[in-house]
Amino acid sequence: FGIHALLVVTVTLSPVTAAVQSENDVTGEGAYPPLWDLAPENLLDFPIKDNKIVINAWNYRDRLGVYKSLLNASAKYFVAFGPQNSGNILWGLPLQHGWQFRTGRLADPSGVTSCGYENGELLCLSARSWWSCMNYYLAFIPFLGAVEAGLFGQLPYEIEILPPEEQKDDFCYSVKDCWSRMPKLMDDWKAFFEYLLSTEHKAVNSASFSSFKLDDALGFMWKAHTTSIAYALPKFQDCLKYLSDPEANFGEDWANAVDFIAATHFSTDLLTTNDFQAFLPQRMLVEGDVLPSISDFSPEQNKVLVSLRALHKANKLTG
């Protein structure tokens, strides 16, 4: 049942597969996360203070810059899989973050502050946002795992990640800090980047990274991804109270579905992820939204939400 529901979500609803899209589509305006062009290109584009690269984890542009740095530093490993780095399987992370930003899911859901709102601090990421907190573990843990694996080579500066104003203890802020607090997560992300780096060493004498197996890379990446979610889920249960019941249910349904998506080694390249995300809700769910008949959602978006709900219920029932 789980895999059937998943295939409904990922395959039969998709009107265009990545395979038939032209190369021109890669550069389409809507293909990238919002404000992608404004994000720092690499680590040395962030502010440098007291011999440290300072990254504000609670600013959308900075978090996007971390993803952009990862994509740029790993681009050479994915040359064979699509033009303009479009075949890089790390695209799933910033595209998901961009969808969260575009749909208002990173703003303060309690409404106490103006964090994340257009008439307030638009680029602010709220530590009260369940989505924002969960995403931290799919942004900074992969990033620090990559730093430790050597993806960025020998950095001339240490990395300093700024904490949020509240819930400081729910996060870690440096390679050393994260290793001591969540070694399994760091190990899994480091293993993914070490796999990429190992293909480079094997291919030193050839023109391309000939030993690179996309399915193996997806295996490493999805293992780390699901470990991150499993670790973060119990940590941020309290943040769900700020959300409407339909949105809180959707968040948990989505987190549950990732395990099933991971099991298929779903390719999170630029085109495939964009195709898939077209079927995710384009706004926050509110009280009164009843599945499968949310009027301003497409039939496919309603169907996906129903599938995710059913998948989560079945998973719970079967233990």
Side-chain angles (χ1 to χ4, degrees):
F1 169 79
I3 294 302
H4 172 72
L6 177 65
L7 291 177
V8 169
V9 174
T10 57
V11 181
T12 60
L13 294 177
S14 181
V16 184
T17 62
V20 299
Q21 291 198 11
S22 72
E23 289 191 10
N24 297 337
D25 286 332
V26 175
T27 54
E29 189 68 24
Y32 299 96
L35 310 181
W36 185 249
D37 288 346
L38 300 179
E41 294 282 328
N42 62 60
L43 294 184
L44 297 181
D45 289 338
F46 285 96
I48 292 162
K49 193 179 171 189
D50 300 332
N51 262 348
K52 288 179 178 173
I53 296 167
V54 181
I55 302 172
N56 181 358
W58 302 93
N59 173 279
Y60 173 70
R61 184 180 162 275
D62 273 25
R63 210 180 274 198
L64 215 52
V66 163
Y67 286 131
K68 205 174 197 178
S69 302
L70 281 173
L71 276 155
N72 288 340
S74 60
K76 61 186 175 184
Y77 303 104
F78 294 95
V79 169
F81 302 106
Q84 297 160 272
N85 203 19
S86 61
N88 194 324
I89 59 174
L90 286 169
W91 273 114
L93 298 174
L95 286 170
Q96 177 72 179
H97 190 49
W99 165 77
Q100 292 164 354
F101 177 76
R102 194 172 60 246
T103 56
R105 288 181 160 85
L106 304 174
D108 181 355
S110 71
V112 170
T113 69
S114 63
C115 179
Y117 291 97
E118 273 188 53
N119 58 355
E121 304 164 82
L122 180 61
L123 299 183
C124 171
L125 306 178
S126 174
R128 291 185 178 201
S129 157
W130 179 84
W131 293 95
S132 183
C133 292
M134 291 292 291
N135 180 262
Y136 190 96
Y137 282 83
L138 291 168
F140 290 95
I141 309 302
F143 167 62
L144 293 172
V147 169
E148 185 66 3
L151 183 72
F152 300 101
Q154 278 294 103
L155 286 170
Y157 307 104
E158 277 183 61
I159 305 272
E160 182 181 6
I161 297 165
L162 300 180
E165 287 179 12
E166 51 186 334
Q167 291 179 241
K168 289 185 176 69
D169 292 344
D170 287 334
F171 308 97
C172 61
Y173 304 101
S174 68
V175 169
K176 192 178 171 187
D177 184 22
C178 295
W179 270 121
S180 67
R181 290 166 62 179
M182 47 202 78
K184 174 85 173 81
L185 268 64
M186 289 288 285
D187 273 342
D188 283 357
W189 280 108
K190 187 184 176 202
F192 166 66
F193 289 105
E194 282 178 339
Y195 175 71
L196 296 187
L197 289 159
S198 73
T199 66
E200 182 174 11
H201 299 315
K202 287 177 195 164
V204 160
N205 299 320
S206 68
S208 66
F209 301 105
S210 56
S211 58
F212 188 89
K213 287 195 177 69
L214 191 62
D215 194 62
D216 289 348
L218 284 163
F220 279 111
M221 189 206 68
W222 278 117
K223 180 173 186 260
H225 193 119
T226 51
T227 306
S228 280
I229 288 180
Y231 182 88
L233 258 181
K235 233 178 190 1
F236 301 114
Q237 280 296 304
D238 280 359
C239 288
L240 291 169
K241 71 183 177 206
Y242 296 119
L243 302 174
S244 70
D245 286 348
E247 179 69 18
N249 286 337
F250 165 60
E252 291 191 295
D253 293 346
W254 180 230
N256 169 77
V258 171
D259 276 344
F260 292 89
I261 295 170
T264 69
H265 285 199
F266 184 78
S267 185
T268 42
D269 58 76
L270 183 72
L271 298 176
T272 312
T273 305
N274 272 318
D275 276 352
F276 177 67
Q277 287 200 161
F279 302 107
L280 294 180
Q282 298 307 303
R283 63 162 173 80
M284 299 269 280
L285 298 178
V286 295
E287 301 298 350
D289 281 337
V290 180
L291 298 174
S293 48
I294 302 174
S295 59
D296 61 332
F297 285 7
S298 68
E300 291 82 12
Q301 285 170 336
N302 272 291
K303 246 181 240 174
V304 165
L305 290 174
V306 170
S307 297
L308 296 177
R309 181 95 281 241
L311 190 59
H312 193 185
K313 279 185 178 166
N315 207 22
K316 273 186 178 164
L317 287 171
T318 57

